[in-house]
């Protein structure tokens, strides 16, 4: 298993494909393996670098609250350690928040950026969701916690027509041999709550695409729009009848859409 020391911790990472580097930053609770349905497509054109964020997967899981700035520095140091001076970045949810910080704190390292269901600041409702996520993790069995996350991220159409796949995912959670520890989830949730870059969005001067689902109940449409409207000349695409997991619900459109955008802007 490939590890590298970045920002003072051990980071697990993978590389897939060849070409220009593409850094993929995952969301809260999820290891980098969750990129599989996308990286299998994008690796045909790009050198994809995917990694476990601090607090999850095989990477180190320090105690205490994290910040998106700290996690952006993890990403920057990972690129540095791999001798990659600059890359395009795709970040999903918390990964989108981290990508924003990466572009703000290390602008020389980011050439283009795709932000999937991102947010620039966390409002009281958002904070309540993240705090409830911590409480749920502390008190629910793994399959029950997985069900809670599914309720947050999937649109009604997935529940109506993909319930067997959701059920199988819950079963897998119940037998996961290396689940995210509570303190790792808490560290990441605190990073999500404290994230606020609204006043800094205007300083981002790279090609950017914000993409999301119009019926996202976790990170709602207004949050995506706040990011897109704050970054100069940022493009925005919102899928109809899709939730937080729009990138799986609209997979056949999403994968080539992002690839085409990268080919044009990177």
């Amino acid at each position: 298993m490939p590890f590298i020391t970045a920002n003072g911790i051990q980071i697990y990472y993978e590389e897939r494909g060849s070409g220009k580097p593409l850094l993929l930053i995952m969301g809260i609770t999820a290891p980098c393996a969750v990129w599989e349905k996308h990286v299998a497509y994008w690796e045909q054109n790009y050198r994809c670098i995917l990694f476990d964020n601090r607090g999850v997967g095989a990477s180190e899981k320090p105690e205490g609250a994290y910040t998106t700035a700290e996690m952006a520095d993890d990403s920057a140091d990972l690129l540095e350690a791999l001798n990659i001076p600059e890359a395009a970045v795709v970040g999903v949810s918390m990964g989108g928040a981290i990508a924003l910080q990466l572009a703000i704190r290390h602008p020389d390292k980011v050439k283009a950026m795709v932000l999937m269901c991102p947010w620039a600041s966390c409002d009281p409702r958002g904070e309540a969701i993240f705090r409830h996520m911590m409480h749920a993790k502390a008190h629910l069995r793994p399959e029950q916690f997985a069900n809670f996350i599914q309720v947050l991220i999937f649109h009604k159409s997935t529940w109506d027509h993909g319930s067997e796949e959701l059920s199988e995912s819950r079963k897998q959670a119940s037998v996961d041999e290396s689940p995210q520890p509570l303190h790792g989830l808490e560290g990441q949730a605190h990073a999500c709550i404290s994230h606020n870059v609204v006043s800094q969005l205007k300083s981002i001067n790279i090609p950017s695409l914000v993409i999301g689902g119009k019926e996202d109940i976790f990170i709602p449409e207004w949050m995506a729009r706040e990011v897109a409207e704050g970054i100069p000349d940022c493009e925005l695409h919102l899928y109809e009848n899709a939730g937080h997991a729009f990138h799986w619900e609209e997979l056949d459109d999403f994968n080539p859409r992002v690839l085409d955008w990268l080919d044009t802007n990177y």
Side-chain angles (χ1 to χ4, degrees), residues 2 12 27-28 33 46 62 84 97 107 125 129 135 165 168 180 201 217 224 232 235 252 261:
Y12 171 78
I28 190 168
Y46 290 96
I84 298 173
R125 177 184 177 277
I129 290 174
H135 300 156
E165 186 174 349
E168 180 59 31
Q180 183 181 34
L201 294 176
I217 63 170
E235 297 179 45
D252 291 343
W261 187 88

Side-chain angles (χ1 to χ4, degrees), residues 52-153:
D52 289 340
N53 283 307
R54 65 169 60 215
V56 75
S59 291
E60 278 193 56
K61 306 166 186 68
E63 298 276 355
Y66 309 158
T67 67
T68 53
E70 179 180 40
M71 298 173 86
D73 292 348
D74 294 347
S75 300
D77 276 14
L78 173 61
L79 291 176
E80 191 75 22
L82 293 173
N83 296 312
I84 298 173
E86 57 188 23
V89 178
V90 180
V92 56
S93 194
M94 181 186 74
I98 295 168
L100 283 169
Q101 287 280 21
L102 183 61
I104 291 165
R105 295 171 65 83
H106 305 276
D108 57 318
K109 293 190 177 299
V110 185
K111 294 294 289 181
M113 183 166 59
V114 178
L115 304 166
M116 302 160 58
C117 42
W119 66 96
S121 62
C122 188
D123 69 340
R125 177 184 177 277
E127 179 175 349
I129 290 174
F130 287 118
R131 292 198 181 280
H132 186 62
M133 189 180 292
M134 290 187 272
H135 300 156
K137 177 74 171 176
H139 296 287
L140 297 180
R141 297 195 304 271
E143 64 272 24
Q144 294 173 326
F145 182 72
N147 186 63
F148 167 62
I149 296 297
Q150 289 173 343
V151 170
L152 280 180
I153 69 174

Side-chain angles (χ1 to χ4, degrees), residues 175-189:
V175 297
D176 186 354
E177 295 182 354
S178 56
Q180 183 181 34
L182 176 60
H183 76 268
L185 181 278
E186 290 174 336
Q188 292 187 344

Side-chain angles (χ1 to χ4, degrees), residues 1-265:
M1 297 175 71
F3 289 88
I4 209 160
T5 300
N7 200 22
I9 66 170
Q10 286 287 294
I11 296 287
Y12 171 78
Y13 74 99
E14 299 178 10
E15 294 193 59
R16 301 263 295 272
S18 60
K20 293 181 179 179
L22 178 62
L23 181 69
L24 307 179
I25 310 179
M26 185 40 67
I28 190 168
T29 77
C32 65
V34 179
W35 281 115
E36 181 57 36
K37 290 184 178 180
H38 311 308
V39 74
Y41 190 93
W42 297 336
E43 69 178 331
Q44 301 173 52
N45 295 70
Y46 290 96
R47 175 189 175 187
C48 297
I49 300 107
L50 47 162
F51 66 101
D52 289 340
N53 283 307
R54 65 169 60 215
V56 75
S59 291
E60 278 193 56
K61 306 166 186 68
E63 298 276 355
Y66 309 158
T67 67
T68 53
E70 179 180 40
M71 298 173 86
D73 292 348
D74 294 347
S75 300
D77 276 14
L78 173 61
L79 291 176
E80 191 75 22
L82 293 173
N83 296 312
I84 298 173
E86 57 188 23
V89 178
V90 180
V92 56
S93 194
M94 181 186 74
I98 295 168
L100 283 169
Q101 287 280 21
L102 183 61
I104 291 165
R105 295 171 65 83
H106 305 276
D108 57 318
K109 293 190 177 299
V110 185
K111 294 294 289 181
M113 183 166 59
V114 178
L115 304 166
M116 302 160 58
C117 42
W119 66 96
S121 62
C122 188
D123 69 340
R125 177 184 177 277
E127 179 175 349
I129 290 174
F130 287 118
R131 292 198 181 280
H132 186 62
M133 189 180 292
M134 290 187 272
H135 300 156
K137 177 74 171 176
H139 296 287
L140 297 180
R141 297 195 304 271
E143 64 272 24
Q144 294 173 326
F145 182 72
N147 186 63
F148 167 62
I149 296 297
Q150 289 173 343
V151 170
L152 280 180
I153 69 174
F154 287 105
H155 184 258
K156 180 181 184 300
S157 59
T158 299
W159 287 96
D160 289 345
H161 304 294
S163 58
E164 289 184 7
E165 186 174 349
L166 295 179
S167 177
E168 180 59 31
S169 180
R170 293 192 295 273
K171 290 178 184 177
Q172 291 301 313
S174 71
V175 297
D176 186 354
E177 295 182 354
S178 56
Q180 183 181 34
L182 176 60
H183 76 268
L185 181 278
E186 290 174 336
Q188 292 187 344
H190 283 298
C192 294
I193 290 168
S194 63
H195 178 71
N196 190 330
V197 295
V198 175
S199 65
Q200 298 161 285
L201 294 176
K202 60 182 179 294
S203 70
I204 297 174
N205 187 31
I206 55 171
S208 301
L209 168 65
V210 169
I211 188 164
K214 293 200 73 171
E215 296 189 37
D216 188 341
I217 63 170
F218 183 12
I219 304 299
E221 179 181 344
W222 74 264
M223 286 185 163
R225 288 192 179 277
E226 181 177 49
V227 174
E229 292 168 4
I231 298 174
D233 301 317
C234 181
E235 297 179 45
L236 173 67
H237 180 80
L238 297 173
Y239 287 100
E240 300 284 348
N241 301 315
H244 194 68
F246 67 89
H247 46 103
W248 293 324
E249 294 171 334
E250 299 290 346
L251 183 69
D252 291 343
D253 180 89
F254 173 77
N255 278 347
R257 181 182 293 274
V258 170
L259 186 63
D260 290 346
W261 187 88
L262 288 169
D263 288 345
T264 300
N265 293 278

